[in-house]
Amino acid sequence: MTNVSEQDRRSGRAGQDAIKRLSQPVKGRIVVAQACTVLSALLSFVPYLALVQLGDLFLGAKAAGQPVDAARAHEVVGVLIMAFLSQLFFRALALIITHFADMKLRYVIRRQIVERLGRVPLAWFGETDSGAVRNAVQDDTKTVHTVIAHGPVDRLNGVLQPVVLLAFMAAVNWRLALIGVATIPLYFALQALSMKDMGPRTAQMNGHLATVSSTMVELVSGIKVVKAFGKTGEAHESYAKATAAFSRSYGDWCAPLIGLCAVAGELISAPLLLLVNLGGGALVMGAGAANLPQILACSLIAIVLPVAISAVANTAWSYQMAGAAATRLCAILDTPPLPEAAAPKKPNGLAVSIRDVSYSYGEQTQALRGIDLDLQPGTTTALIGPSGSGKSTLAMLIARFDDPTSGSISLGGVDLRDLSARDLYGAVSFVLQDPLLINASIRRNIALAKPDATMEDIRRAARTAQIDETVMSLPKGYDSVLGTDCLLSGGESQRVSIARALLADAPILIMDEATAFADPDSEAEIQKALNVLVKDRTVLVIAHRVGAIEGADQVVVMEQGEIVARGTHRDLRGNAHYQALVRQCGLQLDGAEGGDGHE
Ligand code: ADP
């Protein structure tokens, strides 16, 4: 059996706190629904009271040998119906309010998540398991909202209604009240026994479930690579391990429930309760301490009581399931966002200036150290260096995918942190290794930075990016949804992202050539598109072709997170170290000469 650790116990508690926090936006509605529940619970005894009075009326008339007082009987039946309907009305009103609260909460939580995900550094997505994020947005919000919106109302009703009915029973006949609740302490004892450690155990099981979900996403998303390298067994193994751990913990979770809950269920089942209450009631009546209407009313209440009580027990375990989901949601909502400037400044010009910038991924990897670099408007800067030297990280920081760990990057004399996202992305666009296409129509993908662009503008950009013909040959043309209606090749995706950058028409372009030329068939077309794209812009290009470094105004050589040389290709080409690096990067140089441009 899996050990329930102190940590799991703590996560059970954290779950309840997280539920409390997430329920804030619908607190007011829940209070109103609870008020309706109180009214409905307070009215719950009235129909039974009317029933007893009606019985007394009939029995009294029979004993006196007189006809039943019809007016009084009508009156009592009227009270019975009114009380019953009012009780139903308030209960229904509470339910309607909780359903609306439920819908509002689902909307609010999803909106908060999307809002937060929109503000976290893009680098976060690289580090975070996408399966866990999907799980949180889709499944966890579903698990949480019903419990949060319904839980407080169901719980209150489950406690208050039995208390009111019990008090009524005791007032009618305390002996019958005792018989009515005789089986309930036993029921509770068994329930408590089965629920022992359930919170932490549920948290533990949910942890295993999240692992199953994320290993499955990994397995499916990486299946091509896995198959290509014949590692199917290994990938299956981690999934199989995760499912085995989940089924073990599910077994631990269920085991105490099955036997004990079955017996507990019997104790509050209608046949047993009727037997106990009618049988016990007959004995009390035989002793002259109760009458028939009292026994009937108390027996009916005895059957109703457990329904309300078990509703509480059910919400108790739904709460535990929801606790784990709420904790995961709160963790996402607490992801530190990229700070936004309270009073954004306007850039003065388009010069990019990088001063003493260092950047680390977590504690471990320092990717950049003390980078100083200027990108003058209208110039092209080519970055070269061995793989892992920090080129992509530097490019990423200029697009503010994250903030530098120290130092500053400014655009037009204003630190990127003081610019509004609108000004920054109005000035900077990118064509990176990952074409960053979304699961939407090609039209939307191209117009991402300019949602109001006309179809004519979109097609003009696509034509320049040499992709218009391909798109028009698709059955749905520009309305084809990527991944659903069509699959684009690497080169085609790259050209869509070039079309997007062309349409965005930002003066500064950050570009990675790596995958731009991964597709030899479309190399010439991509080259044509890029030539137009880089024209008259400030360009920072992670270079993979000699052409790019030859044509650049400055070449910057990076190694282990530092700039080790800079100058024009002409200045540097004689430097032996530069030659070696350029070759190492897979670029061929012709006619290298002597000289030293090393920093
Ligand atoms: P290049 O683009 O020159 O290949 P990168 O900027 O991608 O280099 O990487 C620089 C360093 O940062 C490398 O040591 C790399 O392993 C590390 N790195 C890059 N991305 C991440 C990441 N998401 N998490 C942790 N380390 C990373």
Side-chain angles (χ1 to χ4, degrees), residues 209-249:
L209 193 59
T211 317
V212 169
S213 175
S214 59
T215 48
M216 186 159 70
V217 170
E218 270 160 31
L219 179 69
V220 173
S221 63
I223 199 83
K224 270 194 258 169
V225 182
V226 166
K227 283 202 160 171
F229 289 93
K231 302 274 187 205
T232 324
E234 271 174 40
H236 279 164
E237 200 177 299
S238 62
Y239 177 64
K241 268 190 195 154
T243 43
F246 169 70
S247 74
R248 258 197 313 278
S249 109

Side-chain angles (χ1 to χ4, degrees), residues 318-339:
S318 307
Y319 257 70
Q320 282 160 5
M321 292 286 276
T327 311
R328 286 191 292 270
L329 288 173
C330 285
I332 291 192
L333 291 173
D334 287 340
T335 310
L338 261 190

Side-chain angles (χ1 to χ4, degrees), residues 127 361 365 367 386-393:
E127 293 156 16
Y361 289 97
T365 317
S387 171
S389 57
K391 306 179 297 288
S392 311
T393 306

Side-chain angles (χ1 to χ4, degrees), residues 21 112-125 330-341 400-404 417:
R21 173 179 152 191
Q112 281 177 345
I113 290 183
V114 169
E115 211 168 71
R116 179 52 57 110
L117 291 184
R119 285 168 56 217
V120 300
L122 282 174
W124 179 84
F125 292 95
C330 285
I332 291 192
L333 291 173
D334 287 340
T335 310
L338 261 190
E340 275 171 33
R400 207 181 173 213
F401 279 25
D402 203 352
D403 285 330
R417 285 169 279 219

Side-chain angles (χ1 to χ4, degrees), residues 37-67:
T37 307
V38 169
L39 288 175
S40 146
L42 288 179
L43 284 170
S44 62
F45 78 95
V46 182
Y48 300 101
L49 176 66
L51 202 65
V52 172
Q53 286 189 348
L54 206 59
D56 285 345
L57 201 67
F58 279 98
L59 286 179
K62 188 168 183 271
Q66 286 176 353

